[in-house]
Amino acid sequence: MEEREISIKELINVIWRGKVTIVMLASAFLFIGAVTSFVYDKTNSQVSTVLTLQWNGVTRGEYPDGTRFDYNTAIESYVISMALEAEGIEGLTTNDVREAIDMVPIVPSDISSVILTALEEGEQISYYPTDYKIVVDNGALDLSVQEATDFLNELIDQMRFDFEKKYIQQSVILDFTDADFDEYDYIEVYSILNTQITLIDNAMNNRVGIDPGFVSPTLGIGFADILVRTSLVRQIDLSQISSRTNTYLLTKDVDYLITNYTYQIDVKQLDLNKALVNVADAQLMVDNYAGSVNTIIIPGMDTNLEIDTYYNTLINNLVILQKQVSDLSTDIDYYELQIDRLSGDDPNFDISIEKLAEEIAKVEASILNADTALEGIISDSNTLLIEYNVYTTSNIIKPLMAPQYESSISVVMYTGIGLIVGAGIGAVVVLFKHEWE
């Protein structure tokens, strides 16, 4: 067989004439490489973020209530279920998702060095990380990157909500303003409204003591602003309801109010009788007290200090009982006076029907104003409390970065490899197909 040399120019000409074949094979392998790498990446890619935990006790490996914190079981099944439901993801069980989620503690390199050095020296060191990497294998769950990203964000939100329900004190202000005030007398309505304000003030005062500078991002007000509003309602509307009702003895049912005052007199009279017996007994003990004196000698003084502590105790007890008798007598006199006025037996209390109607209209207007104002205050107060709990938990369980897509392979690299391999095979095919002279 005779061998002959080929010039580079001839080789290039051969390849150029077969350029269509080379381009076709290169394109085919480029497409195969792109599709293969994309499919493989889709089934093996992950979405992850870094989470920091900052509650009291986490550095000891404990929850705020002292129970053990285990990052392997930190994400409860019902938390996963709520996140799936919130995102509308169907066809996945909590077990499927749990197997596709990994929570990896992040230990700084300097801490790792200290621990290793201590172990080599025979010392025991306990370290509980506060930063964790949460990884969701979206390929295993057959979720797109965007779906996995949204799910991971929702999962962290649900972890916050769960932590808030378990370990953070929550206050929800009960709303009594939806009561049917037509069924209650004016005195009872005042009591309901006053109790409502007391509930609001207690909740707001508690939060002001914890974080006085917190401001609602939606309302633009803080806890102290709510206290100012309740104070105004109490000083203006409730004050008018109380003063006018008591001054003019306003009532929707005179007979019932007389019956109620009569009952109060009976109760007070029974207590008064008991108190009078107690006063008589205490007075007898004081009158018959033989007594003993304790003498205290103070060095450096010419006189000694004499104290009879038990006798003073008897006197103090007698004074308390006598005050109780006085208070009960005053209450009984008050209720009897009210009954006389309601019955029309008090000549000094003469209010015309027109005046009563005028005062009733003013009281009912004050009740309506107070009720309307408190409805808005309760709504704003509960919004403040909810946003404050969200703010608190956002600092306790907080992602340090947005969820990131982690590719298992480089699609560009594998596509490029497919292009090169296809072009190479195309060139080889063209060269073999050429008939050399």
Side-chain angles (χ1 to χ4, degrees):
M1 181 178 296
E2 182 180 357
E3 296 182 359
R4 98 178 163 84
E5 295 181 355
I6 313 171
S7 68
I8 294 177
K9 179 180 179 181
E10 184 181 1
L11 184 63
I12 293 174
N13 288 333
V14 171
I15 292 175
W16 178 252
R17 287 195 298 270
K19 61 182 178 295
V20 175
T21 301
I22 295 174
V23 170
M24 291 177 60
L25 287 173
S27 300
F29 275 85
L30 182 145
F31 177 77
I32 293 172
V35 171
T36 302
S37 60
F38 178 79
V39 172
Y40 181 84
D41 183 60
K42 186 176 184 299
T43 57
N44 292 274
S45 66
Q46 299 175 336
V47 174
S48 67
T49 188
V50 176
L51 200 65
T52 183
L53 311 178
Q54 298 297 328
W55 66 72
N56 184 27
V58 68
T59 54
R60 300 190 302 272
E62 297 176 349
Y63 283 109
D65 62 353
T67 57
R68 181 173 175 269
F69 167 69
D70 185 356
Y71 66 88
N72 291 311
T73 58
I75 306 176
E76 300 283 358
S77 297
Y78 59 83
V79 172
I80 297 175
S81 178
M82 289 188 292
L84 290 172
E85 182 179 355
E87 288 300 311
I89 299 175
E90 300 178 351
L92 293 176
T93 66
T94 55
N95 289 332
D96 295 334
V97 178
R98 182 177 292 282
E99 291 176 359
I101 294 179
D102 196 12
M103 192 167 177
V104 183
I106 299 175
V107 181
S109 57
D110 56 338
I111 299 296
S112 300
S113 302
V114 171
I115 294 174
L116 289 174
T117 302
L119 290 175
E120 291 173 356
E121 295 176 356
E123 299 179 7
Q124 294 292 332
I125 292 182
S126 296
Y127 175 76
Y128 299 96
T130 57
D131 297 335
Y132 294 85
K133 181 180 181 181
I134 298 183
V135 181
V136 176
D137 190 346
N138 62 294
L141 296 176
D142 195 24
L143 296 176
S144 67
V145 173
Q146 186 60 50
E147 288 175 333
T149 299
D150 295 340
F151 171 74
L152 185 54
N153 285 327
E154 182 63 32
L155 183 66
I156 295 173
D157 289 341
Q158 292 296 337
M159 289 175 65
R160 287 200 200 100
F161 297 151
D162 182 55
F163 186 91
E164 177 184 344
K165 289 188 293 184
K166 287 181 178 178
Y167 305 110
I168 295 181
Q169 179 184 2
Q170 299 186 34
S171 296
V172 177
I173 299 174
L174 299 178
D175 187 359
F176 298 127
T177 59
D178 57 354
D180 187 1
F181 291 148
D182 292 336
E183 298 181 358
Y184 299 96
D185 208 347
Y186 301 120
I187 296 176
E188 296 168 332
V189 173
Y190 170 81
S191 179
I192 293 172
L193 296 175
N194 189 54
T195 302
Q196 181 73 80
I197 291 180
T198 301
L199 288 175
I200 299 172
D201 286 350
N202 289 341
M204 295 300 104
N205 280 318
N206 179 269
R207 290 301 185 272
V208 166
I210 297 174
D211 191 350
F214 177 77
V215 175
S216 166
T218 58
L219 302 176
I221 61 175
F223 302 120
D225 299 306
I226 298 291
L227 292 173
V228 172
R229 291 165 64 182
T230 56
S231 177
L232 290 174
V233 174
R234 177 174 273 139
Q235 293 176 15
I236 298 175
D237 295 314
L238 263 63
S239 176
Q240 291 197 37
I241 296 171
S242 176
S243 61
R244 294 181 188 277
T245 299
N246 291 315
T247 301
Y248 297 99
L249 292 180
L250 304 181
T251 180
K252 298 177 182 179
D253 189 341
V254 175
D255 293 335
Y256 169 75
L257 191 55
I258 292 175
T259 302
N260 184 32
Y261 285 159
T262 302
Y263 171 73
Q264 295 296 333
I265 290 174
D266 293 339
V267 173
K268 298 290 184 181
Q269 187 63 54
L270 179 60
D271 292 338
L272 176 60
N273 294 337
K274 294 178 181 178
L276 289 172
V277 173
N278 293 333
V279 167
D281 292 340
Q283 186 64 58
L284 186 62
M285 294 178 67
V286 170
D287 295 340
N288 296 330
Y289 178 67
S292 61
V293 177
N294 297 325
T295 302
I296 299 177
I297 301 174
I298 302 177
M301 294 184 64
D302 297 334
T303 59
N304 298 327
L305 183 61
E306 296 182 350
I307 298 178
D308 190 338
T309 55
Y310 185 62
Y311 182 77
N312 291 336
T313 301
L314 292 177
I315 293 296
N316 290 335
N317 186 43
L318 179 60
V319 170
I320 293 173
L321 291 173
Q322 288 173 338
K323 183 179 183 304
Q324 184 179 359
V325 169
S326 176
D327 292 340
L328 289 169
S329 300
T330 302
D331 291 343
I332 291 173
D333 292 340
Y334 169 78
Y335 287 124
E336 289 177 343
L337 177 62
Q338 300 298 85
I339 291 174
D340 290 341
R341 288 179 172 178
L342 290 169
S343 303
D345 297 331
D346 183 3
N348 297 321
F349 185 79
D350 185 15
I351 307 296
S352 65
I353 296 177
E354 292 78 9
K355 182 62 175 177
L356 286 176
E358 179 184 342
E359 295 301 324
I360 286 175
K362 292 179 179 179
V363 167
E364 290 180 346
S366 296
I367 290 174
L368 180 60
N369 291 338
D371 184 45
T372 303
L374 288 177
E375 283 183 1
I377 292 174
I378 292 169
S379 176
D380 291 348
S381 298
N382 284 327
T383 300
L384 259 173
L385 293 172
I386 291 172
E387 291 179 348
Y388 181 70
N389 283 340
V390 171
Y391 164 75
T392 304
T393 52
S394 66
N395 290 329
I396 290 176
I397 301 177
K398 180 172 65 175
L400 298 180
M401 65 179 194
Q404 301 292 321
Y405 165 66
E406 295 182 2
S407 176
S408 55
I409 60 173
S410 174
V411 176
V412 175
M413 182 183 71
Y414 276 81
T415 301
I417 292 174
L419 176 64
I420 294 172
V421 171
I425 293 176
V428 171
V429 170
V430 168
L431 291 174
F432 270 103
K433 287 178 63 179
H434 179 71
E435 295 180 0
W436 301 96
E437 293 180 1

